[in-house]
Amino acid sequence: MSIPVPNLDDRSFADLVAGARERIQQIAPDWTDLSVHDPGITILEAFAYLTDTLMYRLNRVPEKLYAVYLNLLGTSLYPPSTAETVLEFTRSSAGSSTDSQDIRIPRGTQVSCPPGVPGAPQPVFTTTTASVLAAGQSSVQVPAADVTLYDAVPIGVGTGRPGQSFVIPNAPIVSGAGLSIAIEVPAGTQLSSGEAVLVDGKPFRFCREVEAFADAGPDEAPVRIDRSAGVAMFAWWDEESVARTAVVPGPGAEVRAWYRGGGGLRGNVGAGQLTVMRTPIPGLKVSNQEPATGGRDGESLENALRRAPQDFQARDRAVTVRDYEVLAMRHGGVARARAFTRRDIWAFARPGEVEVVLVPFVPGAPASEDAGAGSNSGPANPGSPAAAPVPVRAAELNAQARESVRLEVEQYLRRRSTVGAEPVVRWGLYKQVLVDARIVVRPDEDAEAVKSRIVGRLAEGISPLSSSSSNYGSGFGKPLRVSNLYRAMEEAEPGVQYVDRVRLEVDKVPDTDALALVQAEGQDNTWFVARDSTLFRTTNAGDGWEACAEFGPGTASEAVRSIAPFRSPAPGRFGAGGFGPSGFGPGQHPGMVAVSTVTPTGSRIYVSEDLGESWRRAAELGFVVADLCWVDRQGVPVLLLAGEHGLYELPMGEGAIPVQNVVDASQPDRGFYAVDALVDVRGRTGVVVAAEASAGIWLSPDAGAAGSFHQIKSAGEDIRCMTIQYDGGASYVWLGRSVPEGTGTGCLRLKIDELARTQFDPALMASWEQFNAGWTGGSCWGVHVMGNAAYAATQSGGVLRLRLGQASAQWSVPDVNCNLPLRDRTRFEPVRAVSGVVRDDGTQLVLAAGPKGIYRSTDNAVSWASCTRRMVDDVVTLPNTWLFCSGDHRIEVVHGNG
C-alpha cells in the first residue's frame, strides 16, 4: 500500500470566499450587503483567487520533492536513440575517367533528404566509418546514423578533488556506442595497449563508463554519464578517512569527450530518401536501399515519473522475471519485454536460463503501457485526432529489430543477473491474422465511420505493442478466440444491430504442398513440416502451426527438402560419447534441428540450436542433399548429409566444412536418397543409407565413419525412405519401396541386435522380413512405427496401417470416406510423410502431410480431419513466447432494415 500524500492546504476558491464572509459578519456586522455586485466582495474574491493560486503552487512542492528524491536515487531520463541505415555510394557517371581511381569516403560524410516543408528540421545522416570506393568498383556500402559526431571536445580541467563533474555541450547524447571520456595523463605514464590516445601531442587515458562507482576496479578511471543532461561525473570519496582508489582528473589535467548528438524519431526515413550530399565528394551519388530504423525521441519527464516506482523495485539486480522485464525496457529501442523461465517451456533449456523476448519500438505506433523513452501513444496521423490506429505488421517489427539493440540488452542483463542465471535475449516472433466479418448496422448509421472505428479497435487489440491484460490479442501465448471479437464489433458500437459473420484468417499456414513432416522428440506435441521455402512448427500437436523460418526470403528458387531434429536414443540406450557440452545426458542434444534446402546451384544447410526459434546457415554444397541425420560422436553432434554425390558429414564446430564419407569404394560418388541412425542396446551408433538407382542398402556399425560401411541389402529395389524402430533390446531398420506404377510391394525390415556382433554376410542380407500383404496405393513415401502399429504414407492409397505382433500381419486400407483428400473416386491424394505419437492415455495420434495440407487422426487412422485451416471460426492458438499481429482486416458493414 502506498503512503498517502498530504494536501498542505485543501481549501478551494469557494471555501476561501465563504470563510471571508463569515469573518466579515463577526468583525463588521454593519457590512450587510455581501452580494457579488458589492465592490468589497469583488475585492475579496480577487484576493481569494490569488490565495487559491498560491495554495496550488504550495501543493506542488511534493511533486518537486519527488523529482529531487529520484535524482538522489540516480533515476535519469532515457536519452534519444538514433536511426541507422546503410548508405550506398555509387559513381555518378559510368565510363568516366574516375572509374580507374579510388574515391575516399571519410568518416563524418553527411547526407540528408531533399528539401521538405520550409522550417521543418531535416535529418542529417553521418557516416560512422571511413571507406574507399576502389578503382573498378561501381558502388560501396557505408553504415550511417542520424547523428552529429563530436571528437575530442574539451569539457573541462580537473582539480584532483573527489566528485568532479563536467558538462558535455550539445546534449542530449544518443544511446548506444560512440561515447568516450578521456583524461590527460602526464607524459611517460605507462599505460596498457589501446588504453590511451594522443590529442594535440598530449596523451589521454580513456575512462570506463559505469552504472555505479562500486562497479569499478582498482586503479580504473570510472565515470558516470547522464546522457540526457550531458553531465560526466567522476568518483567521490571521503578525503579525511578513505584513501583514494579510483583515478580522477588530476589538477590541471584536461578532460575531453567523444560522443554523438542528435537522434530522434525524425531520422526514421524511408528507403531511397537520403540522396543529398551535404559533404560534396566529386564523382559520387548516394542513396539508401533500406529504410532507416531505430530512431526514438528522448524520454519525457512525465513518463520518467511514472516509470520510477518500477525502476526502483528492480534497481540494478535481476532476480525475478519482472526484474528482467523492467531492466530490458530501459533501452530506448525496446517497446515491450517479457521474461520466462526457459526450462518451463523448452526441453532443451539448461538450468538457470531466463529467456527474455523483446518487442522493438516502432515509430508512430501506439506504445505499450510499459513503454520507456519517447513513448508515442498518439494517433497515427497527428493532424487527425480521430484517425484509427494503423495495424503493425510483422515485417515492420522485424525491420526495427536491430541486432545491436539485442546485444546491448543482453550484455546489460548479464551484468545484473544473479549467480547461476543466464539471460537469453531474442526478438519476438509473430503470427499474423486478419478478421473477416460482416456487420449489420442501423439504416441511419454511417457505415464507413463504423468500419473505421472497428478496424481501429481490432488493430489496437491484436497488436504485439499493447501490454494491456484486457486486450484479447496482445498477450504472449494467449489464444485468439472469435468470441472475444464481438466486444470490439458489437458491444462497443451502439449502431450495430448484429454481427452476421466472424472468421479469423491466418496469414501463413502449411495448407498446400506439405512435406517432410517430422516429430521433434523430447519436446511434447512438437512437429515440423515444410511448404516450399517456409518451415512450420506446431507445439500443440497440430492445433496451430507457426512459420518459424523462411529460407531465401523474397525468392521462389529455394525450397525445403529435408528436416532433421536430433533424435534421442530409446530409453535405456545411450551413446558412448558421454555427456555433451550442453550438459544433457549421453547422446542427447535436444533443440538441435537441421534443414536442407534445394537451390538452383545445389543445397544449403541450416541449423538451429533452439528448436527452430533462430537459425544460421551452416554450409552450402554444389549438389542436392536429399536427406539428413544426426549422430553423436564423443558428445559432439555431427550432421550426416545424403545427396546426389555421396554421403558427407558436417561437425558442429566453428568453421567446420562438409567432408565426404566414402560408402562404396568401388563407386565413391554414389548418390543416396535416405540416411538414418540407430543406437543399439550397448550404446553403439549405426548409420544406414539407401542408394540411388536401386543400388542397395549399406550399414555402418561405427556411427557412419568413412570406410566402415557394409552392404546389407543387394541392388534391385528402389528405396526412397526408411525409419528406425526400437523394440526391447532389438532395433529394426524399416524400408519403404517405391514403384513406377501399380499397387506397389509394401515395406520390409531388418532386425539388428548388437552392432558389434553383427555378421555382415549373405545370411544377414537374406533375413529381411517382408510386409506386403494387403498393400495398395503404389509407392511408399514414408514409414512411422509407434506402439504396436506401423503407418505408411502412400502415393494413392492414403495412410495404411499395419498391426504388428500378429502371425500374418496385413496392411489395413482406409475407407474412401475417411476424410483424407481424394484425387478421384477411388484414389487418394499422395501422402508425402506420416508421423505420430502414443499419448499418455495409450491412444495414438497420427499426422499425415500431403498436397492438401496436414491431416490428423486420433482413432488409429480410421478417420481424419484437417489441422491446417487457413480460415478459422473458433480459435487460433499461439506458442508461449509468440505474439499476434494484425493483417489487413476485411470488415464489411451493411445497413439493415429499419
Side-chain angles (χ1 to χ4, degrees):
M1 181 177 180
S2 61
I3 300 175
V5 178
N7 195 341
L8 301 183
D9 196 327
D10 60 355
R11 290 177 296 172
S12 64
F13 171 80
D15 294 335
L16 293 172
V17 173
R21 287 180 174 177
E22 293 178 1
R23 184 63 173 166
I24 289 173
Q25 292 174 350
Q26 294 174 3
I27 64 175
D30 296 336
W31 189 347
T32 57
D33 187 4
L34 302 179
S35 59
V36 295
H37 61 270
D38 184 80
I41 297 298
T42 301
I43 296 174
L44 184 147
E45 289 181 343
F47 278 100
Y49 169 75
L50 295 175
T51 305
D52 184 40
T53 303
L54 290 174
M55 289 191 302
Y56 168 75
R57 295 182 178 277
L58 179 64
N59 282 322
R60 285 183 59 86
V61 170
E63 296 181 14
K64 177 182 178 181
L65 294 179
Y66 179 51
V68 171
Y69 294 152
L70 293 181
N71 281 331
L72 292 175
L73 293 173
T75 301
S76 59
L77 300 177
Y78 290 151
S81 301
T82 178
E84 297 178 353
T85 189
V86 176
L87 299 177
E88 185 174 26
F89 291 87
T90 58
R91 298 184 186 271
S92 55
S93 58
S96 64
S97 59
T98 60
D99 286 357
S100 60
Q101 301 176 359
D102 292 348
I103 301 179
R104 302 186 64 83
I105 304 170
R107 175 178 178 271
T109 300
Q110 294 186 334
V111 177
S112 66
C113 301
V117 179
Q122 287 282 351
V124 178
F125 279 72
T126 305
T127 58
T128 54
T129 60
S131 184
V132 176
L133 180 57
Q137 281 187 321
S138 59
S139 65
V140 65
Q141 293 186 333
V142 185
D146 176 27
V147 295
T148 301
L149 301 180
Y150 298 95
D151 292 337
V153 177
I155 60 174
V157 177
T159 62
R161 301 294 303 279
Q164 299 178 64
S165 64
F166 302 90
V167 176
I168 304 174
N170 304 305
I173 302 166
V174 299
S175 62
L179 173 60
S180 298
I181 303 293
I183 56 178
E184 183 184 357
V185 294
T189 303
Q190 296 295 325
L191 298 173
S192 302
S193 177
E195 192 180 2
V197 65
L198 204 62
V199 179
D200 295 337
K202 303 175 184 178
F204 283 80
R205 176 184 181 180
F206 285 113
C207 303
R208 177 192 167 201
E209 185 179 1
V210 295
E211 295 289 331
F213 291 120
D215 298 335
D219 298 323
E220 281 191 332
V223 61
R224 290 187 58 197
I225 304 173
D226 185 339
R227 297 189 181 222
S228 295
V231 177
M233 296 162 283
F234 287 88
W236 181 91
W237 68 93
D238 187 350
E239 292 182 288
E240 296 182 357
S241 58
V242 179
R244 186 181 75 177
T245 58
V247 176
V248 299
E254 196 174 354
V255 183
R256 292 180 179 259
W258 289 255
Y259 58 98
R260 301 176 181 181
L265 282 171
R266 69 176 189 177
N268 298 309
V269 299
Q273 297 296 311
L274 299 171
T275 57
V276 178
M277 297 274 294
R278 288 207 170 191
T279 304
I281 301 178
L284 287 185
K285 59 182 179 180
V286 67
S287 183
N288 59 313
Q289 300 300 317
E290 299 291 335
T293 60
R296 189 172 187 179
D297 291 337
E299 186 180 27
S300 64
L301 176 60
E302 292 76 12
N303 193 83
L305 296 178
R306 290 195 302 268
R307 168 179 58 84
Q310 294 179 351
D311 205 11
F312 177 71
Q313 291 171 7
R315 298 312 299 160
D316 286 331
R317 284 292 174 265
V319 179
T320 67
V321 292
R322 183 57 183 165
D323 292 342
Y324 283 93
E325 294 167 1
V326 172
L327 293 173
M329 288 285 296
R330 291 181 178 180
H331 197 290
V334 177
R336 188 179 177 190
R338 181 69 184 272
F340 305 86
T341 302
R342 214 177 193 200
R343 193 67 173 173
D344 294 342
I345 302 174
W346 303 113
F348 62 82
R350 302 182 185 91
E353 285 187 333
V354 179
E355 182 167 338
V356 183
V357 182
L358 308 179
V359 179
F361 170 75
V362 179
S368 72
E369 293 182 355
D370 295 335
S375 60
N376 178 16
S377 58
N381 181 2
S384 175
V390 178
V392 180
R393 306 287 192 275
E396 299 175 61
L397 292 159
N398 293 332
Q400 299 291 337
R402 293 187 293 169
E403 178 65 11
S404 59
V405 173
R406 188 198 68 80
L407 289 174
E408 289 172 7
V409 173
E410 187 169 72
Q411 293 169 2
Y412 187 81
L413 294 177
R414 286 181 187 276
R415 294 195 298 266
R416 287 156 179 79
S417 59
T418 56
V419 176
E422 181 74 11
V424 179
V425 180
R426 67 170 181 83
W427 289 111
L429 297 172
Y430 313 100
K431 190 173 186 176
Q432 189 164 298
V433 297
L434 65 85
V435 178
D436 176 65
R438 187 174 187 270
I439 300 169
V440 181
V441 299
R442 292 166 47 89
D444 56 350
E445 186 64 77
D446 186 343
E448 285 300 318
V450 171
K451 176 180 177 180
S452 177
R453 291 194 295 269
I454 289 177
V455 169
R457 289 194 196 96
L458 293 174
E460 189 174 1
I462 307 174
S463 171
L465 296 176
S466 174
S467 60
S468 173
S469 59
S470 61
N471 282 347
Y472 40 82
S474 63
F476 281 88
K478 184 177 181 181
L480 181 59
R481 301 182 183 275
V482 169
S483 58
N484 297 138
L485 303 176
Y486 284 93
R487 188 181 305 110
M489 292 185 287
E490 185 173 12
E491 297 179 7
E493 286 289 340
V496 173
Q497 291 184 334
Y498 60 91
V499 178
D500 185 47
R501 179 193 72 243
V502 181
R503 296 181 299 182
L504 292 168
E505 181 176 331
V506 184
D507 181 42
K508 295 181 180 179
V509 181
D511 54 351
T512 59
D513 299 324
L515 52 84
L517 176 69
V518 62
Q519 182 187 8
E521 297 183 16
Q523 186 73 33
D524 292 341
N525 301 320
T526 301
W527 276 264
F528 289 96
V529 76
R531 189 198 69 188
D532 299 329
S533 63
T534 305
L535 181 70
F536 293 87
R537 184 188 65 191
T538 178
T539 56
N540 49 23
D543 289 339
W545 296 85
E546 288 76 39
C548 62
E550 186 170 356
F551 305 107
T555 65
S557 58
E558 188 169 2
V560 176
R561 177 67 179 267
S562 177
I563 309 167
F566 193 99
R567 189 168 56 199
S568 299
R573 304 179 186 220
F574 300 102
F579 285 81
S582 60
F584 293 96
Q588 299 184 28
H589 303 278
M592 300 290 294
V593 186
V595 168
S596 69
T597 64
V598 179
T599 68
T601 59
S603 283
R604 291 173 181 160
I605 308 299
Y606 298 88
V607 174
S608 170
E609 298 181 7
D610 52 13
L611 211 65
E613 296 286 283
S614 60
W615 295 85
R616 64 177 177 86
R617 186 189 297 184
E620 186 163 2
L621 300 98
F623 59 90
V624 173
V625 174
D627 200 11
L628 304 171
C629 173
W630 291 98
V631 295
D632 176 84
R633 291 183 186 162
Q634 301 299 319
V636 177
V638 176
L639 183 64
L640 300 180
L641 322 173
E644 294 176 332
H645 292 172
L647 180 70
Y648 286 72
E649 69 173 48
L650 177 64
M652 290 296 105
E654 187 69 25
I657 60 174
V659 178
Q660 185 178 12
N661 285 359
V662 176
V663 175
D664 184 3
S666 64
Q667 190 174 343
D669 290 337
R670 184 186 298 281
F672 298 95
Y673 283 132
V675 59
D676 210 338
L678 62 92
V679 178
D680 69 8
V681 72
R682 299 293 183 184
R684 190 164 183 171
T685 301
V687 173
V688 188
V689 292
E692 294 180 351
S694 305
I697 308 297
W698 274 263
L699 169 64
S700 163
D702 194 16
S708 65
F709 283 87
H710 304 270
Q711 190 166 7
I712 58 174
K713 187 180 186 305
S714 59
E717 291 187 306
D718 190 3
I719 305 298
R720 302 291 181 99
C721 63
M722 66 173 63
T723 192
I724 303 299
Q725 174 197 0
Y726 296 111
D727 186 6
S731 305
Y732 293 90
V733 179
W734 282 76
L735 306 178
R737 296 185 177 102
S738 177
V739 293
E741 58 184 0
T743 59
T745 54
C747 300
L748 64 163
R749 73 176 182 179
L750 176 67
K751 182 180 179 182
I752 303 291
D753 288 319
E754 293 184 31
L755 289 168
R757 297 184 179 183
T758 300
Q759 298 294 322
F760 296 96
D761 52 19
L764 178 67
M765 299 181 67
S767 62
W768 286 90
E769 186 178 2
Q770 304 292 326
F771 294 101
N772 48 22
W775 181 273
T776 184
S779 297
C780 177
W781 299 122
V783 184
H784 184 76
V785 184
M786 57 180 176
N788 60 350
Y791 296 87
T794 68
Q795 173 67 20
S796 59
V799 177
L800 307 185
R801 183 174 186 268
L802 179 71
R803 182 73 178 270
L804 300 175
Q806 298 178 341
S808 56
Q810 183 170 338
W811 293 97
S812 299
V813 180
D815 188 86
V816 292
N817 296 316
C818 69
N819 207 34
L820 282 175
L822 290 169
R823 188 190 311 179
D824 52 39
R825 297 180 62 181
T826 60
R827 295 184 303 170
F828 293 96
E829 289 281 359
V831 179
R832 296 301 182 187
V834 63
S835 184
V837 68
V838 179
R839 296 189 288 193
D840 294 338
D841 59 2
T843 60
Q844 295 183 349
L845 171 72
V846 188
L847 297 174
K852 303 295 184 181
I854 303 170
Y855 284 74
R856 180 172 54 184
S857 173
T858 57
D859 55 4
N860 298 327
V862 175
S863 62
W864 298 81
S866 173
C867 60
T868 51
R869 296 174 297 162
R870 186 175 295 272
M871 301 297 299
V872 180
D873 55 9
D874 47 7
V875 60
V876 178
T877 62
L878 201 65
N880 290 330
T881 60
W882 283 53
L883 289 162
F884 283 113
C885 63
S886 289
D888 293 321
H889 301 298
R890 291 195 301 267
I891 308 298
E892 180 187 4
V893 180
V894 299
H895 289 106
N897 297 324

